[in-house]
Amino acid sequence: MIAQLEMRGLQRVLWSYRSLSSSPCRCSSTSPSVVDPLAVNERTSKIPESIQIGGHTYRTDSWTNVTPRISSFVGKNIYLRKNHPLWLIKERIIAYFNWRYPGRYSPAFTVVDNLSPVVTTEQNFDSILVPADHVSRSKSDSYYVNKSHLLRAHTSAHQSDLLRSGFREFLVVGDVYRRDEINATHYPVFHQMEGVRLRYAHELRDDPDFKAIKSPAEVRSPGCQESHTEEAAAVMEKDLKGCLEGLVKSLFGQKVELRWNESFFPFTHPSWEMEVKYNNEWLELLGCGIMEQKILNNAGIHDQIGWACGIGLERIAMRLYEIPDIRLFWSEDSGFLSQFEVDNIRKLIKYKAVSQFPQCTNDVSFWIPEHFEKNDFYELVRDCGGELVEQVKIIDEFTHPKSGRKSLCYRIIYRHMEKTLTKDKANSIHKNIEKIAVDKLGVQIR
Ligand code: FA5
Ligand code: MG
């Protein structure tokens, strides 16, 4: 079991689906919004035979784990709402790409921002070479609609379709869904912007003999795929990193502290992640790399080489506007939204907390059963506590020396964004979480 858990941990690091060095200091104040999570208790209701998401009906099966709360985010499209902070960031990135790659008659990059977040497992995983046994495919990491469909876990899910449709340079913007940890910079629904750029050899160097693709392929090295020439890979890396460094400097200023880390994605090689300094800590903004040639070949493209990147929009907005908590992006409060009503997308905005409300902190310790999944508990807390849950963290792990039984102690921090949350109300949610954890996850409260 431990080996299995360690393996999962290792795969996570390699996949880099999570940001590992990205927890900026918490600010004590947040503000506006949201629903009463006590109104529904989804865990206790049975999964219906079919569910409606974004106006479509899907049959459910044993894979279904998307909850009504999560599917209620589909179609909100906050990134398309004029002057929403995510819209501002989206527009700034598009403007930057149009400036950097002007195109002959119209901007080189096509913007695709209206694709449904319900995708097939083929799109989200197979089409971009995610192995069959990869951890990101598990029910504990993704939100499945049923065995064949899920809420996209990244905008990379659309790479292959768009390549097949003939696009060579494109930006895809959309909401993505992950069963993830809960803290100020992670949320189960967030937004990404995917960038893809293909190049012919003659576009890389003004030399008729210059080659980008090797035929036959040779051996893969840490810095280059087997079918790419090292020269072409180096030109692509320079263009990719130059583009993304330029983007970050255009947003945060020339003096921004940034660093590149080597990374791993099944769909790129080599791969990198970029981090910027935020509140004295490194915050991961994006992942990128040289596209696996097989993805291009499968889409019928044999004579071009490409790079791709996936940028987290919330992270950029948080860093740029000093928004302290990722939950705020879902706020409908005019005190929040009105701060972004600007005529010029480049206007410098510094978010001011509308008001301050105290936190309520409650701990829960329990013995866990053998196949306990930490993400199942996060999910349960999210379902029961909704927007009132600010953070969930493990503060103690214990293994009984004789019985070998394991126990975990979680600290759950509650805070209402619009008013003071009474201790009674926090206690009642907390009790509910304990009860449902016992009923549904088989834990034993200590
Ligand atoms: C990916 O999702 C890759 N698809 C990115 C990519 C695209 C790599 C194309 C190569 C080529 P990652 O899981 O690291 O990678 O997520 C990308 C970015 O999304 C992160 O850098 C971060 O900015 C943001 N992000 C990831 N998880 C969350 C979360 N739970 N909440 C908010 N933002 C997140
Ligand atoms: Mg990452």
Side-chain angles (χ1 to χ4, degrees):
M1 182 68 184
I2 289 180
Q4 212 180 325
L5 282 175
E6 277 171 3
M7 192 56 203
R8 277 177 60 87
L10 179 66
Q11 281 178 309
R12 277 231 167 95
V13 173
L14 292 177
W15 166 235
S16 180
Y17 218 70
R18 305 266 185 280
S19 163
L20 296 169
S21 51
S22 57
S23 4
C25 300
R26 300 201 56 74
C27 289
S28 59
S29 58
T30 56
S31 53
S33 177
V34 234
V35 287
D36 181 1
L38 286 178
V40 247
N41 182 353
E42 299 166 359
R43 286 265 149 193
T44 52
S45 54
K46 264 182 71 186
I47 294 179
E49 266 186 19
S50 64
I51 48 174
Q52 289 255 331
I53 303 180
H56 285 84
T57 307
Y58 297 88
R59 285 202 79 76
T60 58
D61 58 28
S62 61
W63 278 77
T64 309
N65 65 356
V66 57
T67 64
R69 191 176 96 80
I70 290 297
S71 61
S72 75
F73 286 93
V74 174
K76 288 198 180 198
N77 295 341
I78 53 174
Y79 64 101
L80 297 179
R81 229 195 259 179
K82 193 162 183 285
N83 283 102
H84 188 279
L86 297 177
W87 178 86
L88 288 172
I89 299 297
K90 167 180 82 84
E91 290 297 308
R92 284 192 70 168
I93 300 177
I94 294 170
Y96 170 81
F97 270 79
N98 288 346
W99 165 81
R100 189 174 174 95
Y101 304 111
R104 201 176 293 168
Y105 306 111
S106 55
F109 276 75
T110 304
V111 179
V112 183
D113 63 8
N114 58 357
L115 298 176
S116 167
V118 181
V119 296
T120 60
T121 48
E122 156 73 23
Q123 289 173 302
N124 199 79
F125 302 118
D126 304 270
S127 73
I128 46 169
L129 314 177
V130 177
D133 60 351
H134 197 277
V135 63
S136 65
R137 292 188 185 243
S138 78
K139 273 172 75 177
S140 65
D141 278 46
S142 291
Y143 284 108
Y144 280 87
V145 174
N146 54 36
K147 191 175 188 322
S148 56
H149 288 79
L150 72 159
L151 297 179
R152 67 185 159 212
H154 51 183
T155 43
S156 305
H158 302 292
Q159 274 187 16
S160 184
D161 287 345
L162 290 166
L163 291 174
R164 280 171 212 264
S165 306
F167 294 100
R168 300 181 62 229
E169 289 165 288
F170 53 84
L171 296 169
V172 186
V173 200
D175 36 335
V176 303
Y177 299 76
R178 287 186 200 173
R179 300 185 73 198
D180 214 334
E181 54 194 294
I182 303 175
N183 60 36
T185 54
H186 288 79
Y187 201 71
V189 190
F190 60 101
H191 295 80
Q192 284 186 340
M193 189 136 171
E194 190 88 1
V196 166
R197 182 166 206 239
L198 302 193
R199 298 282 84 192
Y200 291 102
H202 70 81
E203 292 172 312
L204 297 178
R205 195 173 290 171
D206 193 10
D207 169 1
D209 294 328
F210 186 71
K211 294 226 170 343
I213 313 284
K214 268 189 211 159
S215 180
E218 286 171 19
V219 197
R220 173 169 294 222
S221 71
C224 189
Q225 288 174 40
E226 52 276 41
S227 56
H228 292 164
T229 64
E230 277 174 18
E231 295 78 10
V235 180
M236 290 299 277
E237 176 180 343
K238 192 161 173 247
D239 181 46
L240 169 62
K241 287 186 171 169
C243 167
L244 296 172
E245 281 176 24
L247 170 67
V248 165
K249 284 181 183 160
S250 84
L251 291 165
F252 305 126
Q254 293 297 317
K255 290 199 184 126
V256 62
E257 264 188 275
L258 66 86
R259 71 177 184 192
W260 288 103
N261 296 329
E262 298 217 338
S263 185
F264 176 87
F265 298 102
F267 29 92
T268 49
H269 180 81
S271 310
W272 303 275
E273 281 173 345
M274 188 210 271
E275 296 182 324
V276 294
K277 262 289 168 68
Y278 178 49
N279 292 345
N280 278 328
E281 298 206 30
W282 290 106
L283 175 70
E284 184 199 311
L285 292 188
L286 59 92
C288 65
I290 309 298
M291 295 173 79
E292 282 289 347
Q293 198 60 32
K294 194 166 172 211
I295 299 176
L296 272 58
N297 292 347
N298 290 346
I301 301 162
H302 299 274
D303 49 1
Q304 297 173 71
I305 172 170
W307 58 241
C309 60
I311 307 167
L313 297 189
E314 276 83 352
R315 299 273 177 89
I316 292 193
M318 290 177 82
R319 168 75 166 69
L320 188 62
Y321 303 133
E322 296 176 9
I323 297 174
D325 194 305
I326 197 163
R327 294 177 297 166
L328 283 165
F329 291 100
W330 298 95
S331 172
E332 292 289 346
D333 191 294
S334 61
F336 174 77
L337 293 170
S338 63
Q339 297 190 32
F340 302 93
E341 290 290 340
V342 285
D343 295 333
N344 178 351
I345 56 170
R346 287 183 186 79
K347 178 146 192 252
L348 195 67
I349 303 167
K350 292 294 168 211
Y351 170 70
K352 286 183 216 64
V354 178
S355 48
Q356 289 188 7
F357 300 103
Q359 297 174 322
C360 291
T361 303
N362 285 19
D363 295 345
V364 54
S365 299
F366 45 69
W367 297 107
I368 56 172
E370 208 183 323
H371 298 295
F372 179 81
E373 282 284 353
K374 286 177 181 166
N375 275 348
D376 287 343
F377 185 68
Y378 290 136
E379 179 75 31
L380 187 153
V381 175
R382 256 196 305 271
D383 280 354
C384 299
E387 304 303 323
L388 299 184
V389 176
E390 185 171 279
Q391 205 181 345
V392 185
K393 59 183 175 197
I394 296 176
I395 53 169
D396 192 32
E397 295 193 43
F398 170 74
T399 306
H400 194 280
K402 286 203 181 118
S403 68
R405 283 178 89 193
K406 290 204 174 73
S407 94
L408 296 174
C409 180
Y410 282 91
R411 172 152 298 163
I412 307 179
I413 299 173
Y414 303 88
R415 186 186 341 226
H416 201 297
M417 291 187 177
E418 293 165 320
K419 58 185 186 219
T420 297
L421 179 67
T422 63
K423 191 75 192 152
D424 277 355
K425 182 131 181 175
N427 285 345
S428 116
I429 303 167
H430 198 74
K431 280 266 163 292
N432 201 26
I433 289 172
E434 284 183 353
K435 182 176 173 306
I436 297 169
V438 171
D439 290 351
K440 301 282 170 188
L441 304 183
V443 307
Q444 194 186 338
I445 305 290
R446 292 185 63 185

